């Protein structure tokens, strides 16, 4: 949105987003989120924002695996269905808001044949996130539309894998 970190909730809710700019240019706009969008009226704002497809954990109704959302691989299965339904030659903006990297990190998934064993919850979550993104990109490639698609990966904030400075959460988008 290009808003400053200190922007008010009202400013955020009334600022055009990337899908507001791309939809008139013929892009199909899709936002799929493993996270719940109940904070600061996000659900209402996104629903009223003219996306072609919007689904968060609230609609997908997957089992909440940490404090805010469901298994990223479950969400990507839903996203793959939307990718497969895109017409050939149709440009798309696809936003995937994952959950695996949100504390407490998702360190396992029943949708994996072999569970990650990277030595820490953080690295296991990173492996699950990587698998989810890989599956989505493969679906675009198989559909033949990867070159005509903008893919945005988002998060609600950053968090250090090792808390050296007693930081509980990143305080701005640059952390």
């Amino acid at each position: 949105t290009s808003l400053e970190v200190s922007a008010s909730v009202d400013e955020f809710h009334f600022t055009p987003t990337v899908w507001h700019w791309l939809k008139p240019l013929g892009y199909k706009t899709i936002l799929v989120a493993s996270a719940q969008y109940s904070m600061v009226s996000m659900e209402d704002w996104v629903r009223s924002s003219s996306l072609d497809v919007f689904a968060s954990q609230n609609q997908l109704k997957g089992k909440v695996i940490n404090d805010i959302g469901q298994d990223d691989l479950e969400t990507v299965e839903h996203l793959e269905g939307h990718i497969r339904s895109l017409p050939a030659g149709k440009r798309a903006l696809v936003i995937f808001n994952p959950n695996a990297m949100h504390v407490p990190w998702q360190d396992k998934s029943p949708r994996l044949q072999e569970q990650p064993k990277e030595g820490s919850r953080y690295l296991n979550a990173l492996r699950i996130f990587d698998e989810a993104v890989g599956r989505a990109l493969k679906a675009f490639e198989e559909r033949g539309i990867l070159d005509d698609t903008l893919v945005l990966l988002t998060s609600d904030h950053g968090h250090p894998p090792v808390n050296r400075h007693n930081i509980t959460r990143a305080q701005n988008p640059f952390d």
Side-chain angles (χ1 to χ4, degrees), residues 160 162-167:
V162 177
N163 196 352
R164 293 188 177 112
H165 304 289
N166 200 26
I167 297 172

Side-chain angles (χ1 to χ4, degrees), residues 13-39:
H13 283 262
F14 292 105
T15 300
T17 61
V18 66
W19 59 81
H20 289 110
W21 299 107
L22 292 176
K23 192 169 170 99
L25 298 175
Y27 281 76
K28 178 155 182 146
T29 55
I30 301 169
L31 190 161
V32 177
S34 297
Q36 298 170 349
Y37 269 35
S38 52
M39 63 279 196

Side-chain angles (χ1 to χ4, degrees), residues 150-169:
L150 294 173
V151 178
L152 299 179
L153 306 172
T154 65
S155 68
D156 62 343
H157 58 78
H159 196 285
V162 177
N163 196 352
R164 293 188 177 112
H165 304 289
N166 200 26
I167 297 172
T168 56
R169 289 193 174 207

Side-chain angles (χ1 to χ4, degrees), residues 51 72 99 105 117 127 135-136 168 171:
L51 283 161
D72 279 348
N99 179 54
W105 302 295
K117 296 178 181 80
R127 183 86 179 271
R135 288 181 185 186
T168 56
Q171 300 302 308

Side-chain angles (χ1 to χ4, degrees), residues 91-123:
R91 295 183 296 179
L93 165 70
V94 176
I95 303 166
F96 171 48
N97 182 207
N99 179 54
M101 298 305 299
H102 193 280
V103 175
W105 302 295
Q106 176 187 350
D107 65 339
K108 58 186 177 255
S109 171
R111 287 172 164 73
L112 289 174
Q113 289 181 331
E114 186 175 322
Q115 296 304 312
K117 296 178 181 80
E118 303 297 334
S120 75
R121 286 182 64 97
Y122 178 82
L123 292 175

